[in-house]
Amino acid sequence: MGDRTGDAFRAAGYHRVCERYHVPFEDLQKDTWKEYEAAGMKIKLCDKAAAVDYMINMPVLKGHCQTTVTCALKNNKGVIPNSEKRRFHTMGLHKPIAHLNTIAKNDFILVDNICGDLDFEEGGNPVVMNRILGFKDPVLCDAFVCDSMGYSVKDVPYIPLAESLGVGSADTAHANIIYLNEASKAQGAFNMTRRVQQLASFAAPKDACSACYGSLIYALDRLNDMGRLRKGLPPVSIGQGYKGEEGSIGVGRCTSCFGKTLKGCPPKAADIVEFLSENWN
Ligand code: SF4
């Protein structure tokens, strides 16, 4: 962060991918740019990014200290000059991000939801979910991300603003969602920071899939923000090990025999927040 793109590219090992698959690397920090009319705002866009036939955006799903979440819409800041990025921050990010997306169009979005972060773009509290998500619509993508992290799109003003500018639809309830793989059990527990361990202490996992467990961790973080976590709450059961078993409270299809249970495979964090707010005591 704050470094030269070329150095970061090499440090992350992407140069090896370029060599192996003969993909040229275009460093947009060295590119020229033009200013465009973006639904009532003037925004600079790098020339090489503006010239592509088909744009694939590859964000990492994670929390962000300023915008709450970051994914497809905000990742498009990668195609503007550094001076424009700094200007976006002076404007509070939300409005310019929404307007940028009226000119920086995405044809496909491939989201890295393998191991994002609870609340900070540079990492610190990783949450493993082991998922890759594909979208055609960046607004729908970011709305789905809000569901996945237990937020409302209203918590991330650039999402409804981008929707109002015609960039896409935030209506996840009517989206055509296709699951290409069955959920599978996590291969071993991931290394948790103390903060994530504290949240996880409210859960009782037994052979839980990563995406399911990650959703619960995000939901517990939201409930913590709301002041709802306290000692003495019964642990929330989650995981394939509970299939056919009875119990008091659980989330996910595998706990369908429990007295209080939330459907979903995996359930969304937003639904877990609502369910636990109403049923956990
Ligand atoms: S509900 Fe689905 S995602 Fe969750 S643990 Fe069971 S099989 Fe995995």
Side-chain angles (χ1 to χ4, degrees):
M1 186 162 151
D3 216 324
R4 282 196 293 268
T5 304
D7 293 346
F9 199 78
R10 290 192 74 79
Y14 286 117
H15 61 293
R16 289 197 292 272
V17 178
C18 288
E19 284 160 15
R20 186 182 307 164
Y21 297 103
H22 309 292
V23 180
F25 163 50
E26 302 289 1
D27 184 348
L28 296 187
Q29 271 184 340
K30 296 176 180 164
D31 199 10
T32 50
W33 49 263
K34 288 187 194 59
E35 194 168 69
Y36 293 82
E37 168 65 34
M41 278 185 90
K42 299 268 188 227
I43 291 182
K44 299 180 185 106
L45 192 60
C46 294
D47 288 337
K48 285 202 170 80
V52 297
D53 299 322
Y54 195 92
M55 178 63 83
I56 302 172
N57 183 359
M58 294 179 67
V60 175
L61 182 162
K62 55 188 187 246
H64 191 274
C65 66
Q66 263 183 285
T67 59
T68 308
V69 306
T70 171
C71 202
L73 292 165
K74 188 172 168 303
N75 204 47
N76 272 332
K77 275 179 73 220
V79 296
I80 59 176
N82 277 4
S83 58
E84 194 69 331
K85 289 177 193 166
R86 288 191 288 274
R87 191 173 75 96
F88 272 29
H89 279 271
T90 66
M91 291 188 283
L93 285 177
H94 289 280
K95 187 175 175 195
I97 286 172
H99 283 256
L100 166 66
N101 277 271
T102 65
I103 55 168
K105 301 267 172 68
N106 291 171
D107 296 291
F108 186 61
I109 303 132
L110 194 63
V111 179
D112 175 349
N113 184 204
I114 298 170
C115 181
D117 197 82
L118 199 59
D119 55 4
F120 196 54
E121 62 276 19
E122 290 176 61
N125 290 295
V127 178
V128 174
M129 293 186 85
N130 277 330
R131 287 193 302 193
I132 297 284
L133 312 169
F135 295 86
K136 297 286 285 178
D137 173 346
V139 178
L140 192 66
C141 171
D142 285 15
F144 185 87
V145 165
C146 286
D147 286 348
S148 299
M149 296 177 71
Y151 290 109
S152 156
V153 290
K154 292 190 199 117
D155 296 323
V156 190
Y158 65 71
I159 301 175
L161 188 51
E163 185 179 39
S164 72
L165 294 174
V167 176
S169 165
D171 185 4
T172 53
H174 295 98
N176 179 23
I177 298 173
I178 301 167
Y179 291 87
L180 298 177
N181 304 94
E182 280 287 309
S184 58
K185 281 186 267 183
Q187 303 298 312
F190 65 95
N191 290 331
M192 295 182 198
T193 57
R194 184 173 298 179
R195 169 127 182 255
V196 177
Q197 275 175 14
Q198 277 168 355
L199 298 171
S201 70
F202 289 88
K206 214 196 289 185
D207 296 335
C209 302
S210 306
C212 215
Y213 195 43
S215 297
L216 178 58
I217 296 293
Y218 280 118
L220 290 168
D221 195 39
R222 296 294 73 70
L223 290 161
N224 190 39
D225 293 343
M226 294 154 68
R228 302 292 293 261
L229 297 188
R230 58 176 168 77
K231 282 187 181 159
L233 286 167
V236 180
S237 297
I238 184 167
Q240 297 188 30
Y242 290 106
K243 274 183 189 167
E245 284 191 15
E246 293 182 359
S248 62
I249 187 160
V251 293
R253 190 179 65 190
C254 294
T255 61
S256 59
C257 297
F258 277 44
K260 292 174 184 170
T261 181
L262 173 70
K263 286 182 195 159
C265 180
K268 292 176 183 170
D271 295 337
I272 299 176
V273 171
E274 196 181 333
F275 168 74
L276 292 180
S277 297
E278 289 168 8
N279 294 286
W280 202 22
N281 47 45

